[in-house]
Amino acid sequence: MLLNRYPVRKFNHRLFVSPKLNMSSSNVASSRWVFTRPDPPSSQHQFFKSDLRQIAGREEGFDLPWRDDMYLAYPSPDAPSWPAFLDHIQQLNAEADANTQYKIVYVMRRAHKARQEPDPVLDDEGQRQCTQLAENLGRAARTALLPPPEVIVTSPLARALETTHLGIAPAFPSVRPIVLESLREGLTGTPKNERHGKSWIKEKFPTFNVDNVDDFDQLGARYSSPDRKESYEALSHRVQGALGHVFENFPGASVVLVMSHCYVQQTIQREITGWDVPDDYKKEAVEFFVGEAGGYAIVVKGIKY
């Protein structure tokens, strides 16, 4: 049984609505979904603080500032364990109607990248972070500190692909990572957010599922200069589509890992946790970024309609 260890701060619900799109690589949701938090007051709403920073690929990982109104799913040492928390989520799913799902979502940020452009890979520091991340995640999974993800989805940008390959996949070898075009970084017209072609991704990461990646970089071409940067609304639209893809295609999965970038995480924080996160590419948003090779966990409620 989960206990109410911490007070829940009241705040307005946000509804994160996925687009109704066909199953192409840039349009990854086949139905419309509304994403939000489970209804309070309930024990699964507790914002458990913990020492799970040790799981990240660097000491400062998992360094999103702790706030009382964060919708984080971290059991602390004096709160219910992760296995009990997972049992609770699975019970919610068992009791839910056919159009409702609950999932624990690990929102991860890629490791440190090189300065090269376009589409930079990881540098030596990033690779070191991934080695540490893989060791920590593997140990956490073996000791039941962390429920293993049943689905892993990743951005198609090289730095996210390498972080998944080096830092995530070794800890969960039975899960084949899925590359989603819609998880790439917000497009600000800079070369670092252009991507390699699909053939390069297939060659470098042959075990990854690339069915949802376009042969031609349509998004990169659409936002190819600073005066044509992607709007927050467009970014929000495609992040919704990524969640829609996961909820639509993996209804039985209770734990999902998302490997992506700063602005994708910022979008998830704003639309699901209810934080007042800036809705543009502004300096003020930096305080909401997660450390490299770090992340956090949230519970997402999806309703299909």
Side-chain angles (χ1 to χ4, degrees):
M1 176 179 178
L2 292 176
L3 304 177
N4 289 327
R5 298 281 183 171
Y6 305 105
V8 177
R9 177 174 169 180
K10 295 181 179 180
F11 46 88
N12 294 331
H13 276 266
R14 290 183 179 271
L15 295 180
F16 201 29
V17 185
S18 77
K20 186 175 183 179
L21 303 169
N22 58 38
M23 290 299 293
S24 70
S25 48
S26 294
N27 301 327
V28 293
S30 59
S31 299
R32 292 182 68 89
W33 289 82
V34 171
F35 299 108
T36 185
R37 299 159 303 185
D39 300 325
S42 178
S43 55
Q44 79 268 19
H45 258 77
Q46 301 318 301
F47 313 130
F48 299 126
K49 299 179 180 180
S50 80
D51 59 353
L52 290 187
R53 295 172 187 269
Q54 65 181 303
I55 292 176
R58 62 183 191 130
E59 290 183 2
E60 311 93 281
F62 282 96
D63 63 354
L64 199 68
W66 291 108
R67 294 168 38 150
D68 288 340
D69 59 346
M70 288 175 66
Y71 186 46
L72 299 184
Y74 284 144
S76 66
D78 62 342
S81 66
W82 269 109
F85 189 80
L86 178 60
D87 287 345
H88 184 68
I89 297 301
Q90 292 173 338
Q91 184 63 33
L92 286 176
N93 281 318
E95 296 172 353
D97 61 54
N99 294 320
T100 302
Q101 298 177 32
Y102 298 84
K103 296 186 188 302
I104 298 172
V105 180
Y106 302 139
V107 185
M108 302 289 296
R109 184 186 175 195
R110 50 77 185 168
H112 195 270
K113 61 180 176 62
R115 292 186 177 276
Q116 71 186 55
E117 293 183 344
D119 200 8
V121 296
L122 301 182
D123 62 6
D124 291 344
E125 172 62 14
Q127 293 185 24
R128 186 201 66 78
Q129 291 173 349
C130 286
T131 298
Q132 188 65 55
L133 178 62
E135 292 177 359
N136 292 342
L137 283 174
R139 181 170 58 253
R142 290 192 301 272
T143 59
L145 175 63
L146 189 76
E150 300 151 274
V151 179
I152 297 173
V153 289
T154 179
S155 157
L157 297 185
R159 53 196 184 272
L161 293 169
E162 285 199 328
T163 304
T164 302
H165 176 64
L166 299 174
I168 304 297
F172 311 110
S174 64
V175 183
R176 185 186 185 192
I178 300 168
V179 185
L180 294 183
E181 190 83 63
S182 49
L183 287 176
R184 66 193 293 171
E185 180 61 300
L187 289 140
T188 57
T190 57
K192 69 179 181 180
N193 291 330
E194 297 174 7
R195 69 161 172 81
H196 287 84
K198 183 175 182 176
S199 59
W200 181 90
I201 298 174
K202 291 177 67 174
E203 179 183 352
K204 295 293 185 180
F205 307 97
T207 61
F208 286 23
N209 182 330
V210 296
D211 293 345
N212 296 284
V213 177
D214 289 321
D215 293 316
F216 174 68
D217 186 5
Q218 299 179 42
L219 283 172
R222 186 181 309 161
Y223 305 108
S224 57
S225 62
D227 61 341
R228 297 178 59 190
K229 72 178 183 180
E230 184 178 30
S231 68
Y232 175 77
E233 290 73 19
L235 172 61
S236 176
H237 181 83
R238 61 179 173 86
V239 174
Q240 294 161 16
L243 290 176
H245 176 91
V246 171
F247 275 70
E248 180 74 13
N249 291 282
F250 302 96
S254 296
V255 185
V256 176
L257 188 148
V258 174
M259 172 59 67
S260 194
H261 311 270
C262 290
Y263 292 123
V264 171
Q265 294 179 337
Q266 179 179 315
T267 300
I268 293 174
Q269 291 165 26
R270 179 182 179 85
E271 301 296 348
I272 294 182
T273 68
W275 278 30
D276 186 19
V277 181
D279 61 357
D280 201 351
Y281 308 107
K282 299 177 181 178
K283 281 189 175 180
E284 303 94 280
V286 172
E287 67 176 287
F288 297 96
F289 289 171
V290 176
E292 293 167 337
Y296 56 91
I298 61 175
V299 178
V300 179
K301 178 181 180 180
I303 304 172
K304 180 179 178 179
Y305 70 98

